[in-house]
Amino acid sequence: MLRATLKSLLARKLRLVLSGLAVVLGVMFVSGTFVLTDTLNRTFDSLFSDVYSATDVSVSAKPKVEVSEFEGEQVAAPLPAAAIDKIKSQAGVRAAVGRIDVDGARVIGSDGKVLTSMGPPRLGANWTGVDAVMDMREGRGPEAPGEIAVNATTAELAGYRIGDSVPVLTQQPKREFTLVGIWGYSGDRDSIGGTQEVAFTTPVAQELMLGEKDVFTSVTVEAADGVSPAQLRDQLAPALGADYVVKTGDDLAEDSSASIKEGLGFFNQILLGFAGIALFVGIFIILNTFSIVVAQRTRELALLRAIGASRRQVINSVLVEAVVVGLIASVLGLAAGVGAGAGLASLFSSLGGGGLDLAPVGVPPAAIISSFLVGLVVTVVAAVMPALRASRIAPVAAMQDVATPDRPLTRISVAGTVVTAAGAAALGVGLFTDAGDADLWLIFGGVLVTFVGVALLTPLISRPVVSLLGRLFSWSVPGRLGRLNSGRNPRRTAITAAALMVGIALVTGVTVVMDSAKSSLKTEAASILKSQIMISGDQNGPRPPTFDPAVIQKTDQIPGVRAAAAMYNDLVAVGGDQEYVTATEDLAILGQAYGTTAATLRDDQIAVSGPQATDSGWQVGSTVTIQASRGEQHTYTVSSIFAENTLPGSIIMPGAAIKDFGITQPTFGFVRLDDGVPVSAVLPQVKALLADSPEVSATDQETWVNAQAAQFDQIITMIQILLGLAILIAVLGVINTLALSVLERTRELGLLRAVGLGRAQTMRMVTVEAVVISVFGALLGVAVGAGMGSAVARALEDDGISQIVLPWGRMGTYLGLAALVGVVAAVAPAIRAARLNILNAIAHD
Amino acid sequence: MAATNAGGPVAARADEIWKVYGSGEAQVVALRGVSAEFGRGRFTAIMGPSGSGKSTLMHCLAGLDTVDKGTAHIGGTEISKLGDKALTRLRRDRIGFIFQQFNLLPTLSAAENIKLPLDIAGRKPDPAWWDTVIDTVGLRDRLGHRPSQLSGGQQQRVACARALIGRPDVIFADEPTGNLDSRSGAEVLSFLRDSVREHDQTIVMVTHDPVAASYADRVVFLADGAIVDELANPTPETVLDTMKRLDKHTDPVML
Ligand SMILES: Nc1ncnc2c1ncn2[C@@H]1O[C@H](COP(=O)(O)OP(=O)(O)OP(=O)(O)O)[C@@H](O)[C@H]1O
Ligand SMILES: [Mg+2]
């Protein structure tokens, strides 16, 4: 008797461990996110205070267009050399040095490939000597126009030594320099934070990085003895006027890390969102476990009630268990989260080139508080329903057999219908009406509520679907028994399947949206885009890849080419708004190359797309004042309004505007051939012209469109990874349910084994049950996801999703994977079932 | 004392079977060198006080449990040497079971429960035999019902039908009427006896009930892990007498 009691207690413990694991994983995700962002925040704090440690005060010109870290790169306005003299003449200034520091100096390595960067900038600078934190490793600074020095990181990545000839891409086409020096930083560092740096002589830096003589991006000012940086800043600012920004080194460090932190904060929220999904799934699992525990304790609880325990006491007895599980899971989750956060942080730094000196991993209060909050709330919320059910157990149940009563599904199904309808309604309102900021919450809430509603409906759906699914396996006795078992407890099967549904539905939904976008893009490209050859490159850092504009002129000369046009981009200020604009030398040619008729723009004209004109309230003849990244602002007249997507971009500026762009080289090229000229006759020649622009390549239209479409696949992959944990938790649920089935049906298993069911057959029976449950969950997920995805895609019609595509192939894959998941989840319970000692099993109660 | 089957062919045989549970202080010798033969086409009852080793002996004979010493045979097969696969096949094809309770799978109908061993083996029931069995147990109108819709006696009859349907070499029944009232018990017992008399089945049944034992052709008495007596053509009275005699004999030993 004692043995039996201990055994069943242990069995329950195992189950609590399994469902506790669901909470542990969710909490790990949450606390890991906080630990990761905290570590990175402190890393960047120390990085930037390092970068600016040698700077007392820095003066720069007020930027023309304010850009946050989020939107792109801040283009510094040029600061005239005359300003340096003015600064030098101020009181409290010991020295002032004009500096040029612009992202976009891309070294072509000894292997002929451009050095890439996943985050840190690739700075082109002027050589101003060795400062306090620098240390010259080899050679000297550049003295002649043909010389450069690079930091040790760049030298190592590119594989160059002193004396080598180094090709560099800048705002100008490729140029070769002789490497005369390599420097590092104090503390034996090759760079600060993995930044690649190339130093030219000042005039060369001005020409290549700024495109103007005698200008700088900033002036570093050294304070005279007895003057603090803050004092100097406060003196300089009024003296220089509102066109200049004066900051101390500390200010700059703070600003830089603040803007990075903004980006990290966003990243943090996304991760927390996925952690939330994982926890949501965890709730299902825990709910299931506690329901089962209560069902198993029915007699015990009824006895308690019979001898006078109050309902409240019964509820408490369940909730206390939940609190204990929640607390333990929180502690473990927090610990695992610290590990995961540390791991991810080091992954992050190695992805960024390994140059980032990670701050020591710490445990921020947010991680601790959220871990306990989340762990407890999730567990207790999940246990409330089972606890209430426990309190409704009648005392007479103590005297009755513990058959699991087959309660009718009417109430739960009606509730499910209502909740699903409410969720779908919220989703619909969020997607299709304009409720401002509430939209996102409506969509988010709608999705969650819909999931809960479908989960409530699942027991009802499970009967026909599970029996239909099970038919697939009914050809063998174990298969038929497995099918029957999976239909035995519709609620439990339903919750287990619903947990899996959530992850699969989200993945499917995203896949539907992405595939719809992809195929819309392809259709559109096929119907509008007439260019047969595209010139472009993959952007994998903040700066888009660019190429030499001369390539376009030379391409135009190739026989068989009808038109070739380049496209330039900039982020500009229009009134108070920021807009992404396109420019081209001659719009008429771009039109020809792209496949539409357009007139050449005069220097004071712009063309805008229909939706842009509607949004901004412009008509033909409206005047628009635009401030590009550099130069003065100009006023333009809208000369024409073109149909959406018939030209690349929504605001097209004339060629004269390009010189004021942050990046003055083209990012895209479109080439259209004369009728009847095969692509293969021209493509190799265009490729040859791009030899000096290795960041980009020329491709035929189909390859290009496919490459664009591939970006959507990347998003899908990312979402799949992020939802992986939610799906893993659902798998734990399947294992949990099966382990329980095996335990509950011990006697049956014994009987089956006694009348001749073999071990392998027993395992097959358990596996079929698992596969049926998993595939059922996946089927629900695929259906719900396809519905939600279609709704979202439809709502995005205005944003270019012109058709809805259901990814049958991928949906099939998800179902197949679910079947596999079932098989995997069944392994342990199946082995346990097969190993049962027949006699013990028969005697089991 | 060894219980031998007077002449005739043997369906199951125990040779000097020893079975010991646990070790050291907690050691229990459940069977101490039991030898017995169970004749083909005979209905044998095993009786004895609680804890005397009846179930253990049956389990060892049926290949549900291993023996520590000695051998068990089903027909000509020595089962103490078989692995799990062969044992499973043996149970499926050559042995039938009736347990005291929980004999049926709740998800299957009565008919499906009856067919279960054949289904597992991938065999079809012989239609004539099927009809005979169903009619003998008198369940024709209940075949589509689930176990939960049947009375305890009906459930046991379904279990009997299941044991019979594969025409096993031996049917082992461990207190098949232990949970039934006397009328349902009598139905099941006469059904078992009929299947021996009319269909030449072999049945070994463990029971506590002298009346149940009187349905058998022969009763073997077990006490403290050893066979202590046996009785041919028992009646309730002779069984009761024997039990009383043995009780007196073994009481001091039990204490
Ligand atoms: N799994 C086991 N572990 C330890 N001891 C066991 C085990 N199974 C049986 N025994 C012991 O072996 C002896 C014989 O048990 P068995 O179940 O065969 O008795 P029984 O004659 O069938 O009794 P009952 O009439 O009560 O069913 C008993 O003393 C019992 O305690
Ligand atoms: Mg027994």
Side-chain angles (χ1 to χ4, degrees), chain A residues 45 94 109 145 195 264 314 350 363 391 440 444 656 691 722 753 766:
Chain A
D45 279 347
R94 176 190 288 168
T195 305
L264 286 175
V314 169
S350 67
V363 185
S391 75
L440 211 63
F444 188 67
L722 285 172
R753 295 277 289 126
V766 176

Side-chain angles (χ1 to χ4, degrees), chain B residues 75-90:
Chain B
T77 317
E78 184 186 338
I79 64 171
S80 355
K81 288 218 172 72
L82 298 180
D84 179 73
K85 261 209 177 115
L87 272 180
T88 302
R89 207 170 314 125
L90 177 95

Side-chain angles (χ1 to χ4, degrees), chain A residues 739-762:
Chain A
L740 184 81
S741 299
V742 169
L743 192 84
E744 275 186 345
R745 297 173 199 148
T746 303
R747 203 155 42 201
E748 274 173 60
L749 285 165
L751 178 70
L752 278 166
R753 295 277 289 126
V755 300
L757 196 71
R759 285 214 163 111
Q761 287 173 308
T762 310

